[in-house]
Amino acid sequence: MSDAPEDLMDLYVDELKDLWSANDQMLRALKRIGAEASDDTLKEMLENSQEGIGRHTDMLKDLIAEQGEEVEKEHCRGMQGLVAEAIKHTIDDAPEKGPVLDAQIIAQYQRMSHYGIAGFGTAAAYAEALGLEDDVEDLKAATGEIYGADQYATKLAETSINIEAKDA
């Protein structure tokens, strides 16, 4: 949908299409970034996140189709910028492989994840206002999964990665 949204349903569908694009971009970035991680727990977290992104993307496609809209994504410039920053800081101008790079990977992962938390939360709020209870349930579940992964990344950073990076 390239025209300006006219109502809340238009905003809702636009948000779903934006999130699909954001997920695709983040997934591609995590595949590249994950290869640079040294810590096995961090690698596993990034792999699990990629699986979650795949499930969330499938759900977004289904929600778009259920609204009778063309199942297509709309390029997300917000995630494009976050991905560019993540690649810059973890691949192009990255610290040497090890705990300092792992700390940087977590920071960039969390920046991208926070975009997802905001987007999925917004979509859930729109769905709720529209009375789309099944959509609300799915979107809130996805938001919770993303938030849980973010909390896990924080715990990993605070209990090991950042400590190792400090001593590197």
Side-chain angles (χ1 to χ4, degrees):
M1 176 177 290
S2 59
D3 298 332
E6 295 181 15
D7 57 24
L8 189 59
M9 180 58 77
D10 287 351
L11 288 177
Y12 175 59
V13 172
D14 283 354
E15 187 68 29
L16 297 176
K17 291 179 177 186
D18 180 87
L19 287 168
W20 175 4
S21 171
N23 274 4
D24 283 357
Q25 292 178 61
M26 184 173 174
L27 183 61
R28 283 192 304 275
L30 289 183
K31 286 178 180 177
R32 290 183 66 193
I33 292 167
E36 301 302 316
S38 297
D39 184 89
D40 289 337
T41 306
L42 176 58
K43 283 183 180 189
E44 182 180 348
M45 182 201 83
L46 295 171
E47 289 169 9
N48 291 339
S49 181
Q50 291 173 49
E51 291 171 16
I53 290 169
R55 285 192 314 275
H56 297 160
T57 299
D58 290 342
M59 181 249 314
L60 291 167
K61 292 176 186 178
D62 290 343
L63 295 180
I64 294 165
E66 288 169 15
Q67 296 311 315
E69 296 286 337
E70 190 173 338
V71 181
E72 63 184 5
K73 58 187 169 184
E74 191 167 300
H75 185 69
C76 176
R77 292 185 194 170
M79 186 59 77
Q80 179 182 346
L82 292 169
V83 164
E85 284 292 305
I87 297 301
K88 176 184 186 289
H89 293 297
T90 62
I91 295 173
D92 297 341
D93 296 329
E96 283 187 36
K97 204 164 195 159
V100 175
L101 177 57
D102 287 348
Q104 181 69 287
I105 288 170
I106 289 173
Q108 299 306 317
Y109 168 81
Q110 288 189 297
R111 285 184 173 100
M112 291 184 287
S113 293
H114 289 185
Y115 187 93
I117 292 167
F120 277 88
T122 296
Y126 290 164
E128 192 159 10
L130 292 164
L132 304 170
E133 292 308 316
D134 290 342
D135 293 22
V136 172
E137 189 176 313
D138 290 342
L139 291 163
K140 283 189 174 183
T143 306
E145 288 177 20
I146 300 165
Y147 186 70
D150 177 67
Q151 288 180 310
Y152 184 82
T154 296
K155 181 179 178 187
L156 181 60
E158 291 176 347
T159 61
S160 68
I161 302 290
N162 291 352
I163 294 165
E164 293 169 20
K166 182 183 95 126
D167 297 334

